[in-house]
Amino acid sequence: PYLRLASQFVEQRGRGLIGDSGFGRRYLQDQQPARESVTEEGHVVRALYLESGVADVAAETDDAQLLGCSAGRWDDMVATKTYLTGGNGSRHSGESFGDSFELPPDRAYNETCAAIASFQWSWRLLLATGDGKYADLMERVLYNGFAAATSTDGKRFFYVNPLQRREDHFEEDDPGRRREWFSCACCPPNIMRLVASLGHYLATTADEVLYLHQFATAAITTPLAGGDLAVHMRTGYPWSGRVEVRVSAAPEASCGLAFRVPGWSANPRFWLNGEPAVPQRTSHGYAVVRRCWQPGDVLEYDTDLRPRLTYPHARVDAVHGMAAIERGPLVYCFEQADQPAGLSVEDLVLAGGSLREREDSLPGAGPTVLVEADAAGRPPTRYSGLPYTSTPQEEAVGDPVTATAIPYFQWDNRDGRAMRVWLPVAARVPTQQ
């Protein structure tokens, strides 16, 4: 009965049966049937929870056409309506998706509940298809768009997760910092629900292979055809890219252990019992080692966490000509507290591709890995006349400086000043005078 009811809800959506909410049919995903819609529109949280239901119905009824429609919208959302942090929702009006490539960093809504809904939809598509791209987005959401919602002391929360906060930011007399509670209190309990269930999303089995989708210290036991396979996974992820899996029990027959290879991992390496290994790479983003495992066997994996510069698609106008820093699964941001004295984070520009990392512990933020980048400062802003000129202005005419970035999930745990994920890239590299 529940499956029939869920199927009815899915099939009747998009036929104008819900009524007028005052926001229009698109807001309620009632403008087009699920089998015809090709893009996500309207209220983000509602849309993505609906997709979780669509994916469930498709899987339970073996409806490949319905599943393909949901997966197609996922592809479109990721390609045109997803922020670097994995967040969704570029419009405060209606807490909604914007147009394709409408991804302004300062006006990003990126509701915390939307990150959770995205995570749950991707999980269902991963179960239905086995494609690692869904686990990749889950990881991006988990370590960035979701993790940033909670302060390091666990007492304050973000409802909205922008990628930039200006020095003078206020909205409805709110400076945009985390709060202890909200009159619409959906986000804090939703956060607790996902945190409480994280162990559920680490691994699955298929065809006598244990697939490790996310990396965390854990003990995992699963029944296979020949008996139980039990492993202990140890890692310092995401600070360290090293993942160790030690077998504690195994069936007599051959079976497989598989690591997800993240799309950002340029040079993954593997070792079996201390010796270099070359696992079988699948077309779905996993590296598989099959053998007759023995208790005490150790399979190790290094994901290669070197920091990297990331550039936007040319149609993302709001950050055209800019770059961001990532390290492993973590998106980084520049907070005012870490920059050279007297230089506003809003006047920083990247000036060179050299990135350096160092471990540190910051008051308020806690233990972290910082990334330093070659940068420069813009000249002082002139407040006279219109902020436009008849000739193009090159970036980075000031002296070289070092810009320091912290993981995005650790921002707003100190003084509440300016922050930005994307920095302009200098047209030319400055030289020391």
Side-chain angles (χ1 to χ4, degrees), residues 261-271 281 301-306:
V261 180
W264 47 259
S265 183
N267 185 33
R269 294 178 294 167
F270 303 85
W271 297 266
R281 296 288 291 271
Y301 171 37
D302 193 320
T303 58
D304 185 10
L305 294 186
R306 283 176 294 180

Side-chain angles (χ1 to χ4, degrees), residues 118-149:
S118 168
F119 188 89
Q120 294 184 353
W121 180 26
S122 293
W123 171 243
R124 285 158 170 79
L125 292 176
L126 174 62
L127 292 177
T129 67
D131 197 323
K133 68 183 182 181
Y134 300 115
D136 275 3
L137 183 63
M138 291 172 68
E139 177 184 75
R140 181 172 294 276
V141 168
L142 184 64
Y143 286 100
N144 301 288
F146 173 76

Side-chain angles (χ1 to χ4, degrees), residues 127-301:
L127 292 177
T129 67
D131 197 323
K133 68 183 182 181
Y134 300 115
D136 275 3
L137 183 63
M138 291 172 68
E139 177 184 75
R140 181 172 294 276
V141 168
L142 184 64
Y143 286 100
N144 301 288
F146 173 76
T150 309
S151 61
T152 53
D153 63 9
K155 297 179 180 180
R156 294 179 179 272
F157 306 90
F158 274 136
Y159 195 109
V160 178
N161 294 273
L163 277 71
Q164 180 176 353
R165 180 169 65 197
R166 301 181 190 279
E167 292 176 348
D168 57 350
H169 174 74
F170 276 91
E171 183 151 346
E172 296 181 353
D173 209 33
D174 179 358
R177 302 202 66 186
R178 292 184 184 90
R179 300 186 194 177
E180 291 185 352
W181 201 248
F182 303 94
S183 57
C184 178
C186 53
C187 294
N190 229 356
I191 291 169
M192 297 305 104
R193 179 178 60 153
L194 181 56
V195 170
S197 65
L198 281 179
H200 182 64
Y201 304 103
L202 291 183
T204 60
T205 57
D207 301 323
E208 303 305 298
V209 177
L210 173 62
Y211 287 88
L212 301 174
H213 304 298
Q214 308 298 335
F215 309 125
T217 296
I220 302 171
T221 302
T222 184
L224 300 178
D228 286 349
L229 175 63
V231 301
H232 285 83
M233 179 164 51
R234 295 195 307 173
T235 182
Y237 204 79
W239 306 120
S240 167
R242 194 88 169 199
V243 182
E244 176 191 287
V245 175
R246 183 177 296 272
V247 176
S248 55
E252 293 184 1
S254 174
C255 60
L257 275 173
F259 289 107
R260 175 176 58 88
V261 180
W264 47 259
S265 183
N267 185 33
R269 294 178 294 167
F270 303 85
W271 297 266
L272 177 59
N273 296 329
E275 297 295 327
V278 181
Q280 176 189 359
R281 296 288 291 271
T282 75
S283 60
H284 287 77
Y286 290 83
V288 185
V289 176
R290 291 179 182 266
R291 69 195 301 263
C292 292
W293 297 95
Q294 301 296 321
D297 281 345
V298 177
L299 183 59
E300 294 176 278
Y301 171 37

Side-chain angles (χ1 to χ4, degrees), residues 53-73:
V54 171
D56 277 342
V57 168
E60 293 293 336
T61 60
D62 199 24
D63 190 329
Q65 193 258 350
L66 184 61
L67 181 66
C69 291
S70 185
R73 287 189 293 273

